[in-house]
Amino acid sequence: VPFYCSVDPELYRPKPVEREFECAMSYLGTHAKDRQPKLMKFLNDTATLMPESRFIVAGAQYPRDTPWAENVERIIHLSPPHHPSFYCSSKFTLNLTRDEMVAAGYSPSVRLFEASACGAAIISDFWKGMEHFLTPTDEVLLPKDAYEVAQIIRTLSDADRTRIGLNARERILSEHTAAHRAIQFEQIVSR
C-alpha cells in the first residue's frame, strides 16, 4: 500500500518575498551524486544561458570543486523555518528526484509538497506518476533541458507563474496534508 509524504500547511504557506532569497530560480537540497547531473543541467546550465539573472542553490555537502556558474549563489545551510520564504522568494523553484525514486515512479519528495504548499511555481524533472500529484503545465512545469528552462523563466508571465503556483498549492492542500495522511493511515490499519 503506498503511503506518501505530506506537508503541514501551518508551517508551509505563502510568505512575503525576502530580498536575500530573491532570484530567477532556486534549488533546496543536499548534494546527491545521482541528482547532481540534473542540477547542473537544469539550474547551472540555465544560469550560464542567463548571466544577467541570479540563481541560488541551498544545501550541504556539495563538493568544493563543483563548477558553478558565476551567477549561482550557494547557501550551505538553510534552517527549516526559512524554507517557506526561500520557496516564495524565487520566481521558480526546482524539484529534482533521486534516480531510485525515478525508477520506482510515484515517488514524490517531501520538498515537492512543501514548495507547492507555499504556492511556489515549480520546475521539475519528470518521473512516472507525476500527474498523480501535480498536473503537468497547470500545476508543475517539466522542461527537457536548460534551453526550455531559460525560455520559461524569460517568457512566462507573472500572472501565469502565480496561477501555476496557486494551482499546485490548491492541489496539495486538497490531497496531501498531514491530516490527509492521518486519515489514510487509519484506513490502512483498519483494513
Side-chain angles (χ1 to χ4, degrees), residues 22-42:
E22 201 170 3
C23 62
M25 188 166 66
S26 63
Y27 176 74
L28 175 60
T30 56
H31 175 264
K33 190 174 181 181
D34 61 334
R35 249 189 335 230
Q36 191 64 20
K38 290 190 272 191
L39 180 57
M40 299 308 279
K41 172 182 161 182
F42 287 113

Side-chain angles (χ1 to χ4, degrees), residues 6 17 24 28 50-51 59 95 111 114 118 127 129 131 135 138 168 170-171 177:
S6 64
V17 170
L28 175 60
M50 300 179 65
N95 175 72
R111 301 252 190 257
E114 292 171 351
C118 291
W127 35 271
E131 68 285 350
T135 303
D138 290 333
E170 226 174 87
R171 174 83 177 268
T177 66

Side-chain angles (χ1 to χ4, degrees), residues 5 132-133 170-177 180-181 184:
C5 301
H132 183 75
F133 304 95
E170 226 174 87
R171 174 83 177 268
I172 294 305
L173 294 184
S174 70
E175 300 177 24
H176 301 290
T177 66
H180 290 104
R181 293 298 180 264
Q184 291 169 352

Side-chain angles (χ1 to χ4, degrees), residues 44-55 69-72 154:
N44 200 64
D45 290 355
T46 302
T48 301
L49 294 171
M50 300 179 65
E52 73 287 354
S53 298
R54 180 183 187 207
F55 295 78
E70 288 185 19
N71 53 334
V72 174
R154 287 181 174 135

Side-chain angles (χ1 to χ4, degrees), residues 2 4 15 22 26 30 36 49 54 68 76-77 79 92 94 96 102 104 113-114 121 123 131 135 161 186:
Y4 299 110
K15 297 276 188 171
E22 201 170 3
S26 63
T30 56
Q36 191 64 20
L49 294 171
R54 180 183 187 207
W68 300 112
I76 303 302
H77 175 72
S79 62
F92 297 90
L94 180 63
L96 296 173
V102 170
F113 294 130
E114 292 171 351
I123 290 175
E131 68 285 350
T135 303
R161 178 175 50 83
E186 289 181 352

